[in-house]
Amino acid sequence: MSRTRTALLAALALVAGTAGAAAAAPPPDAGAVAAVPCTVEYKVQNQWDTGFTTAVTVTNNSAAKSSWSVKWSYAGNQKVTSGWNAKLSQSGTAVTAANENYNGSLGTGASVSFGFNGTYSGTNALPTSFTLDGVACNVDDGGTDPTDPTDPTDPGTGSRVDNPYAGAKVYVNPEWKANAAAEPGGSRIANQPTGVWLDRTAAINGVNGGMGLRAHLDAALAQKGSDELVVQLVIYNLPGRDCSALASNGELGPTEIDKYKTQYIDPIAAILKDTKYAGLRIVTTVEIDSLPNLVTNVSPRATATPNCDTMKANGNYIKGVGYALNKLGDAPNVYNYVDAGHHGWLGWDDNLAPSAALFKEAASAEGATLADVHGFIVNTANYSATKENHFTINDTVNGASVRTSKWIDWNRYVDEQSYAQAMRTHLVSIGFPSGIGMLIDTSRNGWGGTARPTAAGPTTTVDTYVDGGRYDRRIHLGNWCNQSGAGLGERPQAAPATGIDAYVWMKPPGESDGSSSAIPNDEGKGFDRMCDPTYTGNPRNNNNMSGALPNAPLSGKWFSAQFQELMKNAYPAL
């Protein structure tokens, strides 16, 4: 259902009117289309009883602009409630969308896109006229109208593949690339693909002039060319986020599940459903560190925290993850991977099975189904070695199993690859699709340099055997913040092992895990003593030193000293 002709005639009338009263307007013909100074595509992507999500694309056919403003009016009672990639305001029925500071440039023939959520009652009639900087535009609603049951057009064009990384390039974040390239020696890895973290609502539009989600997806289209390309997004803004770690607390309080849905997930889902991006393979890493906390850091365990007890009681982690899987999974080119901790967190017998059951519960909540889960990711933003080569879980020393060593501490897995494969097998056994795959974040688990062992340790005791041979040089497996001695791990690659879809760098190397001391901020990030190199520990790391680097900035901020250490200790070496 197109309104192109109606708006085109109005635009031509405007052009004729400006020519002067003495000149009669020529009849419209095919050549007259060139006189139209702009085109607006207004597409309702999703609609329900009281609300809707809309994507708008504006094409400028006149002189290049350094700023722009699009205006339209509604015939009904529609109200814009939230938006992205434009500054939206409304007075009565009149709506204005002005450029953000990062997308004001609009060249001749160029397009810019923005979107919004709105409410209505009665009929959600589409606007019939738009202006760009005061000049009337041709209007094209994209040829589809979800409010019209007679419109057969299906805007969806994508279809999922078994492994999105197979045969595909992966998006290189220009902002991370610039930070890496600015470091001495950083150009050696500046072209590696990393995850884009949507760690607060403002990140959808871009923070402090930075790239928002649409800007990243547009850049991904440019990188894609005629090839297949994967874009990696980290969905990370649950209410009461990271209930056991202050450094990565988020902007939403424990009860703000509705705000999470309508102001965070819904706008992201609307952007990902835009058919402009249907040719991209979009991988989402869904809410790291959330569900595992509900297994290990709740009462009656000694590692319990009041915040985690609250999140288990109110169910908002389960609801939030389920809602995200449901809404994001609607787009056929989106691949949801749920966070599954790491082997040093969930590898024990009394953690793995309960965690898998909780993953299934979340994947069945808020309208989600197990089919909305394409796979799971382990070791996100962590340091556990991908594969330990100098010992296995089946080894014994002087008749004692290596499971009795202080490092392994009765864990059933010694590294991420064996844990990921075992977790996958168990998930399939409880009902997840047999085609699910695993991702391993190898961005900071290389543990190279001079401290990397070249053989097993002495067989004096199980402890000397394991400690002397392990690649992971942390003081304790529970240490997670800016670890001293860590190095870049395996470079991103597809299908490196059975059941593993890819090694990825989901955590951008050089971005801090948390500040070494308290730093006032407006991002909701607290000071966690696990990021303090002088901290002597807690039950979650068996009261060991934190092993953190000094002088670290807030989580997510660039940490040059850490980046240099990661390059120095990279394995394989740079």
Side-chain angles (χ1 to χ4, degrees), residues 23 61 78 91 123 126 138 156 161 191 197 203 240 244 268 304 345 349 385 389-390 408-409 432 435 460-461 525 568:
N61 297 319
Q78 295 96 327
S91 177
T123 302
L126 302 179
N138 174 20
V161 297
N191 284 315
W197 286 56
S244 69
I268 292 173
W345 190 355
D349 293 339
N389 291 327
H390 299 318
I408 297 174
D409 192 25
F432 278 93
T460 309
T461 67
K525 296 172 181 176
K568 180 182 70 174

Side-chain angles (χ1 to χ4, degrees), residues 52 74-80 90 92-93 119-121 123-126:
F52 61 101
Y74 286 115
N77 59 5
Q78 295 96 327
K79 297 292 184 184
V80 173
Q90 185 168 358
T93 60
T119 61
Y120 76 102
S121 62
T123 302
N124 183 23
L126 302 179

Side-chain angles (χ1 to χ4, degrees), residues 134-198:
V135 177
C137 295
N138 174 20
V139 183
D140 187 349
D141 63 10
T144 66
D145 183 359
T147 70
D148 182 358
T150 66
D151 191 332
T153 308
D154 179 6
T157 59
S159 59
R160 293 191 181 95
V161 297
D162 178 60
N163 180 357
Y165 291 87
K169 301 186 296 187
V170 186
Y171 174 61
V172 177
N173 181 345
E175 294 179 314
W176 180 82
K177 178 179 179 178
N179 283 332
E183 292 281 345
S187 60
R188 293 173 294 175
I189 63 165
N191 284 315
Q192 291 292 346
T194 55
V196 174
W197 286 56
L198 302 175

Side-chain angles (χ1 to χ4, degrees), residues 134-440:
V135 177
C137 295
N138 174 20
V139 183
D140 187 349
D141 63 10
T144 66
D145 183 359
T147 70
D148 182 358
T150 66
D151 191 332
T153 308
D154 179 6
T157 59
S159 59
R160 293 191 181 95
V161 297
D162 178 60
N163 180 357
Y165 291 87
K169 301 186 296 187
V170 186
Y171 174 61
V172 177
N173 181 345
E175 294 179 314
W176 180 82
K177 178 179 179 178
N179 283 332
E183 292 281 345
S187 60
R188 293 173 294 175
I189 63 165
N191 284 315
Q192 291 292 346
T194 55
V196 174
W197 286 56
L198 302 175
D199 60 354
R200 47 180 161 150
T201 301
I204 300 171
N205 293 331
V207 179
N208 297 326
M211 296 173 70
L213 177 54
R214 280 195 178 272
H216 281 295
L217 295 177
D218 289 342
L221 288 175
Q223 290 184 21
K224 177 182 183 298
S226 60
D227 301 317
E228 298 292 346
L229 185 133
V230 172
V231 180
Q232 303 175 126
L233 306 177
V234 179
I235 307 301
Y236 188 48
N237 198 29
L238 274 178
R241 190 181 75 194
D242 281 8
C243 57
S244 69
L246 297 176
S248 44
N249 285 163
E251 64 183 353
L252 300 179
T255 64
E256 294 186 293
I257 186 66
D258 291 337
K259 186 178 290 188
Y260 173 80
K261 292 177 178 180
T262 60
Q263 297 185 21
Y264 179 69
I265 292 298
D266 287 352
I268 292 173
I271 294 171
L272 299 189
K273 291 176 188 175
D274 190 334
T275 55
K276 178 181 182 181
Y277 306 120
L280 298 172
R281 298 177 181 180
I282 301 173
V283 165
T284 62
T285 297
V286 178
E287 295 296 355
I288 65 171
D289 294 345
S290 59
L291 299 178
N293 271 312
L294 299 187
V295 175
T296 65
N297 295 321
V298 294
S299 298
R301 298 206 181 192
T303 53
T305 71
N307 290 341
C308 290
D309 281 340
T310 295
M311 299 318 299
K312 183 175 182 178
N314 67 25
N316 284 342
Y317 278 5
I318 297 290
K319 295 173 187 175
V321 170
Y323 190 84
L325 292 173
N326 179 21
K327 295 299 182 180
L328 302 178
D330 285 346
N333 59 319
V334 170
Y335 301 80
N336 289 322
Y337 288 80
V338 178
D339 181 73
H342 57 86
H343 91 276
W345 190 355
L346 303 182
W348 283 268
D349 293 339
D350 55 354
N351 291 348
L352 190 147
S355 296
L358 196 66
F359 301 156
K360 184 176 181 179
E361 181 183 352
S364 306
E366 298 290 316
T369 69
L370 302 190
D372 287 317
V373 179
H374 198 79
F376 291 78
I377 182 168
V378 302
N379 205 45
T380 312
N382 210 267
Y383 298 86
S384 296
T386 301
K387 194 173 187 305
E388 293 282 8
N389 291 327
H390 299 318
F391 57 91
T392 74
I393 205 68
N394 299 315
D395 292 350
T396 60
V397 177
N398 300 324
S401 168
V402 298
R403 292 188 70 194
T404 65
S405 68
K406 291 179 181 178
W407 175 255
I408 297 174
D409 192 25
W410 294 100
N411 199 322
R412 194 166 291 279
Y413 306 98
V414 301
D415 53 36
E416 290 306 295
Q417 185 167 297
S418 61
Y419 165 71
Q421 291 167 330
M423 176 62 85
R424 179 188 177 279
T425 298
H426 187 81
L427 289 163
V428 171
S429 76
I430 64 171
F432 278 93
S434 59
I436 60 171
M438 308 296 287
L439 304 178
I440 301 177

Side-chain angles (χ1 to χ4, degrees), residues 519-536:
I519 298 177
N521 66 91
D522 60 359
E523 301 177 33
K525 296 172 181 176
F527 169 50
D528 197 302
R529 290 296 305 278
M530 287 296 291
C531 301
D532 176 359
T534 68
Y535 184 47
T536 56

